[in-house]
Amino acid sequence: MQTYWLHTNKASKQLIVFFAGFASHYSHYSHLHTNMNVLLCYDYRDFYFDIEILKEYDEVWLVAYSMGVSIATRLLQNVTFTRKIAFSGTNIGIDKTFGIHPTLFRHTIKHFNINDFKHAIFGENIIYTKDFYFAEQTILQEELQSLYDFCVTTPNFVFAWDRIYIAEKDSLFLPQVCFQAFENTNQAIYELSTWHYPFFAFHTWEEICTIS
């Protein structure tokens, strides 16, 4: 995966590590402000992440979105976080019951269309995404295949989130699927009246992490 520092503040010993979703790019999150450090993880054509980075900070928040939820679940099992927040995803990621159905995911790999994808994740908010960058189709299809291979071959572990956000208008990780995936876990679940991409509902990373 690639990493990118969305925000750096040498005076702060607080870090938000953000595992974004498929097809993400740092331009998708430029409207979110903060006084903390924010490290973006994206482009899941490989799954190497240097955990040593986290040891440089006194407090570390984990935020994960979409397929980033299932990636963080598998890679960060042994890391202690100040708080863990999940958006629009499930721990398993690709699954007949608790994620995106494998058949649908394979179909998406083969027939991926970037315009259909944008409309699915942004809905009417697509008007605000004119400056969002997306990689070429072949690269995105490679990322989809990589995500599929990783999720269906890598064991899924129990991973407790402090706060889970489910998007009411989500057509990728369906709300009923997300509720079913997290039911009976005693984790705090909240609904947002948004499409799959929920971040237009926030202005700062502190809001996202519920930091007062």
Side-chain angles (χ1 to χ4, degrees):
M1 72 183 70
Q2 295 191 53
T3 57
Y4 180 87
W5 288 99
L6 289 170
H7 297 276
T8 56
N9 180 359
K10 292 182 179 180
S12 172
K13 295 298 290 182
Q14 298 172 306
L15 171 68
I16 298 169
V17 58
F18 175 42
F19 273 64
F22 159 71
S24 283
H25 182 263
Y26 52 81
S27 60
H28 303 184
Y29 309 99
S30 61
H31 69 284
L32 295 167
H33 304 288
T34 185
N35 293 318
M36 301 168 66
N37 301 281
V38 182
L39 180 64
L40 167 69
C41 303
Y42 69 110
D43 187 357
Y44 300 116
R45 286 179 292 171
D46 69 75
F47 298 94
Y48 173 76
F49 178 71
D50 185 6
I51 294 178
E52 295 299 314
I53 295 173
L54 309 183
K55 297 179 181 179
E56 300 176 14
Y57 298 88
D58 296 335
E59 296 179 298
V60 182
W61 282 260
L62 172 63
V63 179
Y65 160 55
S66 190
M67 289 303 297
V69 175
S70 58
I71 303 307
T73 296
R74 289 167 167 86
L75 295 185
L76 303 175
Q77 277 291 310
N78 299 317
V79 180
T80 299
F81 292 97
T82 303
R83 187 174 293 145
K84 296 176 288 187
I85 302 100
F87 286 89
S88 305
T90 67
N91 288 352
I92 296 179
I94 301 173
D95 186 76
K96 292 180 180 179
T97 305
F98 301 121
I100 298 174
H101 197 289
T103 301
L104 176 59
F105 205 98
R106 291 193 298 268
H107 181 272
T108 302
I109 295 172
K110 186 175 181 180
H111 302 284
F112 181 72
N113 180 287
I114 186 61
N115 290 321
D116 291 345
F117 177 71
K118 289 179 183 179
H119 281 284
I121 65 173
F122 298 122
E124 70 270 14
N125 290 325
I126 197 170
I127 61 175
Y128 303 118
T129 68
K130 61 183 179 65
D131 295 324
F132 284 16
Y133 171 82
F134 288 89
E136 296 178 0
Q137 176 161 323
T138 54
I139 292 176
L140 295 177
Q141 286 177 299
E142 289 175 6
E143 185 181 0
L144 283 170
Q145 185 65 59
S146 177
L147 283 164
Y148 181 84
D149 293 341
F150 183 78
C151 285
V152 301
T153 60
T154 306
N156 180 66
F157 304 94
V158 175
F159 194 88
W161 299 90
D162 297 294
R163 185 172 286 244
I164 297 162
Y165 288 100
I166 295 173
E168 293 179 354
K169 302 177 185 178
D170 201 332
S171 62
L172 300 182
F173 280 94
L174 301 176
Q176 61 268 32
V177 169
C178 293
F179 276 113
Q180 190 171 355
F182 292 113
E183 69 178 352
N184 301 321
T185 62
N186 295 318
Q187 298 175 72
I189 300 174
Y190 300 85
E191 285 189 89
L192 290 173
S193 182
T194 67
W195 295 83
H196 179 71
Y197 174 94
F199 297 103
F200 288 128
F202 300 92
H203 298 93
T204 70
W205 284 98
E206 282 81 356
E207 284 182 84
I208 291 171
C209 294
T210 63
I211 302 170
S212 58

